[in-house]
Amino acid sequence: MTEIILHEPLDMHLHLRDGEMLRTVAPLSAHSFSGGLIMPNLVPPVTDGEMVRAYRRRILEAIGDEIFEPYMTLFFKPEYDYDFLAPLAEELTAIKLYPAGITTNSEGGVSGFEIEELRLALDAMSELGIPLCIHGETGGFVMDREKEFIPIYEALADAFPDMTIVMEHITTAQSIAALDRHPNLYATITLHHLLITLDEVAGGMLQPHLFCKPIAKRPEDREALLQAALNAHPKVMFGSDSAPHPRHVKEAPGCAAGVFTAPIALPALAELFARHGKLENLQHFVSNNAQRIYNLKPPKKKVQLTDTPMQVPEKYGEVVPMFAGETIGWSIDAVSVE
């Protein structure tokens, strides 16, 4: 296959930031995706209905005439109860839980994972049908943080069997295995975790624009992720975790975590799936599974990709993308809205 048409592609884990950065990056996702699950870890984080609505308005203003649905999320707080969440349920696609201090702008996250301390909010979410998305890492040794979090995922899945729980940007073979043990566990997988291991980040000269959290893992972990994505595992979906930072913040001591992939995500995925002879499964990974898991009806959009090489720009505004200055084998040929 030398071309493919994707229908209603979705990015189910997307950082758009705010202000000037929002105006730079939002149109890049809105051009080629029908919608995206928007992360709430702004400064300050998005924690109430007024903030959700205001942020959505800023996103729609930033994307201009592009057809794109921002699926909004709330930053998890244990004190949320039914009365607080019920009026917001129709405006939210999910609520995002961050362990405190584990990643960018997560200082106000959860410090403990005792079920009873979280029950007030999680019972309300279960009753209202609001999915829970989790950045699943402990504070342990960096290569083991996701693996150590799996028992927490499983305890939450058992305690709240009616809740859809999404393990965000998984990076390990153990997380893939956990999907098959619990009917209400699902997962997003990024482009970069399908392509790189820790070797690409730090095996030679440090590559700051590939540094992310969760950190890229071992070849066997990448292989497990690849097999799930390529073979249309029904419980995994694409979430770019595209995380823009200005170049001076990435190429600096204390390098900010995040890989910016939004503009090249679909061409790079098409190239990857084509190389493995699985291009026919890309539609499931980038759209069909997410629509079913989240019960979404995204705006109609067709994205035609071909095996025409694409030169990746050195930067978009002040943000350096993955593959900056390199040539990837596929490109977007046309985007049409019905």
Side-chain angles (χ1 to χ4, degrees):
M1 297 174 66
T2 59
E3 67 175 26
I4 187 173
I5 294 177
L6 297 175
H7 298 267
E8 292 78 60
L10 296 169
D11 183 345
M12 299 310 294
H13 185 124
L14 180 61
H15 294 275
L16 293 181
R17 309 303 191 204
D18 213 344
E20 186 60 34
M21 183 66 79
L22 170 65
R23 291 185 286 273
T24 297
V25 304
L28 300 172
S29 287
H31 177 65
S32 56
F33 286 90
S34 282
L37 190 71
I38 311 303
M39 294 298 104
N41 57 329
L42 304 182
V43 180
V46 178
T47 55
D48 62 35
E50 182 178 345
M51 297 175 81
V52 167
R53 289 185 286 273
Y55 190 27
R56 186 174 188 275
R57 286 194 298 269
R58 295 196 299 275
I59 293 169
L60 293 176
E61 180 180 349
I63 65 175
D65 294 332
E66 299 285 0
I67 303 301
F68 175 87
E69 180 61 36
Y71 295 109
M72 304 306 293
T73 64
L74 203 63
F75 191 99
F76 181 90
K77 293 288 186 181
E79 59 265 29
Y80 294 155
D81 60 12
Y82 184 92
D83 290 340
F84 176 82
L85 292 176
L88 296 176
E90 294 301 315
E91 302 178 67
L92 297 176
T93 301
I95 293 178
K96 177 67 180 285
L97 188 156
Y98 293 90
I102 205 68
T103 191
T104 303
N105 300 338
S106 64
E107 289 73 18
V110 172
S111 296
F113 285 88
E114 293 296 328
I115 296 294
E116 293 309 312
E117 294 179 5
L118 306 176
R119 184 171 294 280
L120 180 68
L122 297 183
D123 274 343
M125 291 172 62
S126 293
E127 190 171 348
L128 292 164
I130 303 173
L132 175 67
C133 299
I134 305 176
H135 181 125
E137 291 191 282
T138 69
F141 177 66
V142 68
M143 290 291 283
D144 295 333
R145 290 175 181 178
E146 183 176 306
K147 179 177 67 175
E148 291 173 352
F149 201 92
I150 290 174
I152 299 173
Y153 278 131
E154 297 191 300
L156 291 170
D158 288 339
F160 303 94
D162 296 328
M163 178 184 290
T164 294
I165 299 175
V166 180
M167 304 189 295
E168 294 277 39
H169 44 47
I170 60 171
T171 63
T172 66
Q174 292 93 337
S175 292
I176 292 290
L179 287 173
D180 297 322
R181 295 196 293 267
H182 298 274
N184 57 330
L185 277 184
Y186 302 88
T188 56
I189 300 177
T190 74
L191 168 66
H192 49 282
H193 288 124
L194 291 173
L195 294 174
I196 66 173
T197 67
L198 184 57
D199 222 28
E200 280 74 34
V201 182
M205 293 287 286
L206 182 65
Q207 301 298 319
H209 296 287
L210 295 180
F211 172 63
C212 59
K213 291 183 178 179
I215 198 165
K217 302 297 192 302
R218 300 170 176 83
E220 57 267 32
D221 294 304
R222 178 181 59 184
E223 183 62 23
L225 301 179
L226 261 175
Q227 291 307 312
L230 292 172
N231 292 301
H233 192 300
K235 299 181 78 177
V236 304
M237 52 196 155
F238 176 63
S240 70
D241 193 19
S242 182
H245 294 281
R247 182 173 185 170
H248 72 272
V249 175
K250 291 290 289 179
E251 298 177 5
C255 171
V259 181
F260 183 56
T261 58
I264 54 90
L266 291 180
L269 283 169
E271 181 180 27
L272 176 65
F273 275 64
R275 184 164 68 245
H276 288 272
K278 295 289 186 177
L279 200 55
E280 70 277 7
N281 288 338
L282 184 56
Q283 176 68 35
H284 296 282
F285 182 57
V286 301
S287 185
N288 294 359
N289 289 354
Q291 290 188 55
R292 173 175 41 80
I293 292 165
Y294 278 100
N295 191 28
L296 301 176
K297 297 191 182 331
K300 295 293 185 182
K301 182 179 285 190
K302 292 194 298 186
V303 181
Q304 182 174 348
L305 299 114
T306 67
D307 63 349
T308 303
M310 168 190 176
Q311 180 78 21
V312 179
E314 293 283 352
K315 60 181 181 176
Y316 294 86
E318 295 302 313
V319 186
V320 177
M322 190 177 190
F323 301 125
E326 299 179 30
T327 299
I328 57 177
W330 281 61
S331 58
I332 294 175
D333 187 59
V335 177
S336 61
V337 177
E338 298 177 16

